[in-house]
Amino acid sequence: MSETGEGLTGFGFATTTDEVVVGVDLTGRTAIVTGATSGLGVETARALAVTGARVVLAARRTGAAARIAAELTERTGNDLIEARELDLADPRSVRRFTDAWTGPVHVLVNNAGIMALPELERTPYGWEQQLATNFLGHFALVHGLERPLAEASGARVVCLSSAAHLRSPVVFDDLHFRFRPYDPWLAYAQSKTADVLLAVGITRRWGDRGVRANAAHPGIVRTELQRHIRWDTEGLPMKSVEQGAATSVLLATAPELAHAGAGYYQDCRPAAVVAERRPDHSGGVAPYALDPAAAERLWETATAALAP
C-alpha cells in the first residue's frame, strides 16, 4: 500500500458508508464532525458512531445538533454522541470551542459549508462569506486543535472539497471580491480550492507529528447545501447521501490510509490530476489545488487574518 492509498480495491462511485466501515473499530477514539445537522454531516457522524467512536457534532444550531445526537444514539446504540456549539463564521465561537476542548482528537471531519450565495456577503471581519465559512473557520478550528490532534499520535483530518474547485484557484490578489465582480460559483470554487490547500498545509506542517489531512469530493448529492441554487440534474451522475459521505468516512477510517496525506479523493479513490475541466463531470484535481507554495501562502494569509 502506498501512502496515497493507490492500493485501495473494491470501492468506487456507488460505495456506501456502511461498506466502508465494515470491520473498522474506533472504540476509544474521538471524532469531530462539523455541520452535522443535515445531509452528509449526519451520515458521516452516523457511520463513525457505528465504529464505536465518540462522536462530537459541532454545529451552529445546537438544538438541531442535540436532536440529531439523540437520534443517532438510538439508531446506532452508541451513547458517546454529543453536540457542541460551533459557528465557523465567527472566530470567537471557534476559539471558545477549541479553548474548551480537552483530550486528543483522532478524527476531524471539516464537513460544514455553504454554496453559491446569490449576493456578496461579508463577515463582520470583512471576509467573503463562503471563503470565511468553508475555509477560514475550519482553518481556525484546525489551528486551535493543533495540540489535541498531535496528542492522538495518528490523527486524520478530512477537508470537504468539491469538483467545483476546478472553476477557480485561490485568487490571492482579490480574495474577497473587492475589485472583481462577485460571482457565486467563483466564490464557492475558490473556497473549495482553499480546502484542498488546507489539507496540503496540515500534512506538510504537522505530518511528522502524526497529523495528516486529505480532501474529499463527495460527488453530486441533493442536500440542504444546494438551497440557493436551481439546476437541472438530468443526466448528471447523482449519488445518495450514503454514497456521497463514503469518501469522507473512508479517509477518516480506512486502515490502508493511516499514513496517507495531502491528497484529493473522489469515489473512494485518489483522483487524477487534470490539465483542464472535463465536460463529462468526471472531476479530477487541479494542479493549483495541490501546490505546496500556494498552501503555504494561504496558511500565512489565514494566520494573519486571525491574529488578535
Side-chain angles (χ1 to χ4, degrees), residues 2-296:
S2 73
E3 290 196 357
T4 61
E6 291 176 355
L8 288 171
T9 58
F11 297 131
F13 179 92
T15 297
T16 66
T17 48
D18 282 335
E19 292 174 294
V20 166
V21 299
V22 170
V24 174
D25 184 358
L26 297 185
T27 303
R29 302 184 186 181
T30 296
I32 300 173
V33 183
T34 68
T37 54
S38 65
L40 297 177
V42 173
E43 178 58 22
T44 298
R46 185 200 67 80
L48 292 172
V50 167
T51 70
R54 171 195 175 207
V55 182
V56 176
L57 314 183
R60 179 173 53 85
R61 296 181 294 153
T62 52
R67 289 192 295 273
I68 295 295
E71 292 171 6
L72 293 181
T73 295
E74 184 175 353
R75 289 174 62 189
T76 65
N78 185 338
D79 59 3
L80 299 177
I81 307 173
E82 63 182 272
R84 294 196 185 188
E85 182 178 5
L86 176 67
D87 183 350
L88 290 164
D90 183 354
R92 295 167 300 180
S93 174
V94 178
R95 194 173 302 115
R96 285 193 297 269
F97 182 95
T98 58
D99 286 350
W101 188 269
T102 58
V105 174
H106 301 87
V107 173
L108 172 60
V109 182
N110 293 332
N111 168 83
I114 54 177
M115 172 190 276
L117 296 181
E119 303 294 335
L120 174 61
E121 297 182 24
R122 301 190 191 280
T123 70
Y125 295 85
W127 279 60
E128 186 275 319
Q129 188 72 51
Q130 292 187 77
L131 189 62
T133 301
N134 299 348
F135 164 70
L136 185 63
H138 283 123
F139 175 87
L141 179 63
V142 167
H143 197 270
L145 292 175
E146 177 182 357
R147 181 173 295 177
L149 288 165
E151 288 176 356
S153 300
R156 304 191 196 190
V157 180
V158 182
C159 300
L160 263 288
S161 184
S162 167
H165 86 274
L166 297 166
R167 291 172 176 255
S168 177
V170 172
V171 182
F172 287 100
D173 291 334
D174 192 14
L175 287 172
H176 307 297
F177 294 86
R178 301 189 188 282
F179 299 96
R180 53 185 170 140
Y182 175 73
D183 180 286
W185 281 109
L186 291 183
Y188 180 67
Q190 173 179 245
S191 74
K192 294 289 102 177
T193 295
D195 287 332
V196 187
L197 292 173
L198 176 57
V200 174
I202 291 169
T203 303
R204 285 176 58 83
R205 285 174 173 263
W206 301 343
D208 61 353
R209 299 166 65 191
V211 183
R212 292 178 173 85
N214 290 285
H217 166 44
I220 305 174
V221 187
R222 279 206 176 277
T223 67
E224 190 178 324
L225 182 66
Q226 288 92 26
R227 62 187 176 275
H228 294 298
I229 61 176
R230 300 289 182 269
W231 58 350
D232 182 4
T233 57
E234 184 176 354
L236 294 180
M238 301 293 293
K239 289 189 178 188
S240 67
V241 172
E242 294 78 11
Q243 292 168 337
T247 300
S248 295
V249 174
L250 180 81
L251 291 171
T253 65
E256 299 93 332
L257 298 177
H259 303 292
Y264 176 94
Y265 289 69
Q266 63 183 52
D267 299 336
C268 294
R269 303 282 298 173
V273 178
V274 297
E276 59 185 8
R277 287 177 61 195
R278 297 166 170 173
D280 61 356
H281 301 283
S282 57
V285 59
Y288 55 69
L290 300 175
D291 179 14
E296 180 67 19

